[in-house]
Amino acid sequence: MSLKVYIGGKLYDKADAKISVYDHGLLYGDGVFEGIRAYSGRVFRLAQHVDRLYESAQSIHLKIPIAREEMARAVVDTMAVNKLTDAYIRVVVTRGGGSLGLDPRKTTDPQVIIITDAISLYPAELYEHGLKIITAGTMRNHPSALNPRIKSLNYLNNIMAKVEATNAGCLEALMLNHKGEVAECTGDNIFVVRKGALHTPPIDAGILEGITRDAVLELARAAGVPIFERTMDRHDVYTADECFLTGTAAEVIPVVECDGRAIGTGTPGPITTDLRRRFHALVREER
Ligand code: PMP
């Protein structure tokens, strides 16, 4: 059976799931999206993802044509139609078709697209041995230009940094903000462990408010690990005892090297491993 894709309330076979080439989502990256994950038939933190989607849309002055409850229902229903239990879910809302000019007022039909598919994971051995990352020369979008809190269809900033990472033989790149402070990676938030405490850049460093980041902060708090959301520079990463990234697709993944410097012992640390275990339990238990 071919996968069904939801577009504007209807289900299409994957091969027939198409939108107009005049859609401003394609022409200008004008739209917003979410990456969501389901475990054993339950969507993890769906309400939070839906809220973030609607906030991104509000921020770019895009009115999503359906209500939040209907969006949440459509996500669950699309997954069910495809008989998926462990899935990666991509929700996309485009500005819609219009003229070949920027003006969003000339667009008429915002498209709501829901793709539910198998989840593709980092190789298991990376979770055992950890990732190597580099710092990208491409800085993270300035919050006054395109705020990284908006999960927009315009991901070129992150893609440029990703190209730098892959050219350097790495899978992820650390991105700094316009002040040279640590922001986040191309598709993940970053944490370090120093002297038993967890440190991560604050939202005003110019980052996406990651839903996995939130969950890990809650888990750390419950485990009694001190937390500091504070401005960080690369020195903090180079000299950390442990480092890891968080994201819907990556979950919690250890980082063992940055710009050629081994972090801590150069192997995944105990707090990272413990939080990874707690996160796995959470996604399976949470209702
Ligand atoms: N930062 C960026 C730039 C992202 O695109 C993502 C999502 N892939 C994240 C962080 C992690 O966010 P979440 O935990 O909500 O997936």
Side-chain angles (χ1 to χ4, degrees):
M1 186 192 84
S2 147
L3 273 178
K4 301 280 188 213
V5 177
Y6 171 107
I7 305 178
K10 296 204 184 89
L11 291 167
Y12 298 86
D13 283 339
K14 182 174 165 180
D16 303 321
K18 293 172 183 164
I19 60 163
S20 165
V21 293
Y22 283 85
D23 194 299
H24 282 204
L26 173 69
L27 291 175
Y28 300 117
D30 187 356
V32 294
F33 78 104
E34 273 300 318
I36 314 176
R37 196 156 161 181
Y39 295 88
S40 311
R42 276 199 310 274
V43 184
F44 184 63
R45 305 222 162 161
L46 178 56
Q48 256 176 277
H49 281 284
V50 169
D51 283 347
R52 189 170 68 183
L53 180 75
Y54 281 72
E55 283 173 15
S56 292
Q58 165 73 7
S59 194
I60 70 162
H61 204 277
L62 166 61
K63 177 143 177 42
I64 299 180
I66 57 174
R68 292 180 198 217
E69 303 70 45
E70 191 178 344
M71 181 69 79
R73 213 175 314 119
V75 166
V76 171
D77 290 351
T78 307
M79 208 178 70
V81 162
N82 288 311
K83 300 194 169 42
L84 290 163
T85 52
D86 291 272
Y88 185 78
I89 301 154
R90 170 62 49 89
V91 180
V92 180
V93 184
T94 72
R95 184 78 69 178
S99 65
L100 297 177
L102 289 178
D103 191 348
R105 289 174 310 179
K106 304 231 171 86
T107 60
T108 49
D109 52 347
Q111 298 290 309
V112 177
I113 302 164
I114 303 172
I115 306 167
T116 58
D117 210 333
I119 175 94
S120 83
L121 302 168
Y122 277 133
E125 63 134 60
L126 285 178
Y127 290 87
E128 292 303 312
H129 302 299
L131 273 179
K132 294 178 180 180
I133 62 173
I134 52 133
T135 308
T138 307
M139 72 160 88
R140 191 73 180 95
N141 278 332
H142 193 300
S144 302
L146 177 56
N147 196 319
R149 291 176 74 181
I150 304 167
K151 207 163 164 58
S152 86
L153 291 183
N154 208 309
Y155 248 54
L156 264 180
N157 180 223
N158 312 61
I159 291 165
M160 299 311 279
K162 187 84 168 181
V163 168
E164 291 186 58
T166 54
N167 284 347
C170 295
L171 294 177
E172 254 299 1
L174 174 60
M175 300 186 77
L176 307 177
N177 67 16
H178 61 286
K179 292 187 265 186
E181 299 158 355
V182 170
E184 59 183 338
C185 287
T186 69
D188 297 310
N189 292 111
I190 187 164
F191 288 77
V192 301
V193 176
R194 299 176 73 83
K195 297 190 172 57
L198 202 54
H199 299 240
T200 196
I203 302 305
D204 64 13
I207 62 173
L208 184 74
E209 248 178 300
I211 287 163
T212 320
R213 175 185 182 276
D214 264 5
V216 165
L217 286 172
E218 282 168 24
L219 291 171
R221 214 166 279 129
V225 178
I227 295 165
F228 297 95
E229 285 186 68
R230 64 168 185 96
T231 303
M232 285 167 44
D233 58 27
R234 277 196 291 177
H235 181 81
D236 293 305
V237 178
Y238 295 157
T239 60
D241 301 321
E242 303 178 30
C243 178
F244 62 87
L245 312 181
T246 63
T248 295
E251 302 181 315
V252 176
I253 189 159
V255 173
V256 292
E257 191 184 300
C258 182
D259 298 331
R261 281 85 157 167
I263 296 174
T265 59
T267 57
I271 292 183
T272 304
T273 305
D274 182 56
L275 287 171
R276 232 190 102 205
R277 191 182 52 74
R278 287 172 188 270
F279 184 75
H280 279 167
L282 178 71
V283 295
R284 278 167 183 82
E285 286 159 12
E286 194 169 82
R287 307 247 153 213

